[in-house]
Amino acid sequence: MPYEVTLELHRDGTLYGTVGERCGWLLVRLAKGVAEARAALGAQWPDPDDRFPDEEELFAFRYRARNGVVSGGELRCQLRTIPIWIPAQRGSSGEWRLTRRAFVEAWGGGVGMRAVLTSAELGAFVAALVTEAEECLAPQKSGNSTRTR
């Protein structure tokens, strides 16, 4: 079921940005897409850690005020192909190996952070966001907050 989620970006316990705007269903779709890409047999990328959905930008969340102005922060994830030189052993020349990684970047209020993730790490990250959002949106139980952390 689609739902709205607003994510608060924290660094060392300090809030530095807020993003979202109907991003709950996008996160659920991405979690499913990463799992399907990792499980694909005969995929273009032999290493499951290099397998992602076929989009270059997996998400880009911003916070928009009611007047439409973008403010408060940004959280985005882009795929990048990274060549790595593998030196040869014993006299032959080396070779290039291509890997794919998800670059998750967050910034707001002059602070920015970046994480470079394999598909397994991205899948775990997105699944944790979805789980936390669903827990926060569940019917109120004692101690359950209506806000995400």
Side-chain angles (χ1 to χ4, degrees), residues 6 9 12 15 17-18 38 42 51 61 65 69 81 89 95 112 115 123 139 142 144 147:
T6 299
L9 307 176
D12 298 328
L15 176 68
T18 304
R38 285 186 55 76
R51 297 181 198 158
F61 302 137
V69 175
T81 302
Q89 307 253 338
E95 65 181 8
S142 67
N144 218 11
R147 295 176 45 158

Side-chain angles (χ1 to χ4, degrees), residues 8-78:
E8 293 178 346
L9 307 176
H10 291 260
R11 180 178 180 201
D12 298 328
T14 302
L15 176 68
Y16 71 90
T18 304
V19 300
E21 190 176 343
R22 298 178 301 278
C23 68
W25 71 274
L26 289 169
L27 291 170
V28 170
R29 186 181 76 171
L30 177 59
K32 183 179 177 184
V34 170
E36 289 172 353
R38 285 186 55 76
L41 297 176
Q44 174 186 356
W45 298 90
D47 185 345
D49 280 342
D50 293 331
R51 297 181 198 158
F52 294 89
D54 289 332
E55 303 148 26
E56 281 193 34
E57 184 169 83
L58 298 176
F59 61 79
F61 302 137
R62 295 171 184 86
Y63 182 80
R64 294 185 192 278
R66 291 182 189 258
N67 62 4
V69 175
V70 175
S71 63
E74 185 167 349
L75 176 67
R76 69 186 219 180
C77 179
Q78 293 183 313

Side-chain angles (χ1 to χ4, degrees), residues 71-119:
S71 63
E74 185 167 349
L75 176 67
R76 69 186 219 180
C77 179
Q78 293 183 313
L79 290 181
R80 296 190 184 148
T81 302
I82 305 165
I84 299 174
W85 179 253
I86 308 294
Q89 307 253 338
R90 299 192 181 120
S92 63
S93 62
E95 65 181 8
W96 288 101
R97 179 178 183 274
L98 296 178
T99 62
R100 290 175 82 198
R101 294 295 179 257
F103 281 64
V104 178
E105 299 170 320
W107 58 89
V111 177
M113 293 187 289
R114 173 184 290 163
V116 181
L117 306 176
T118 65
S119 63

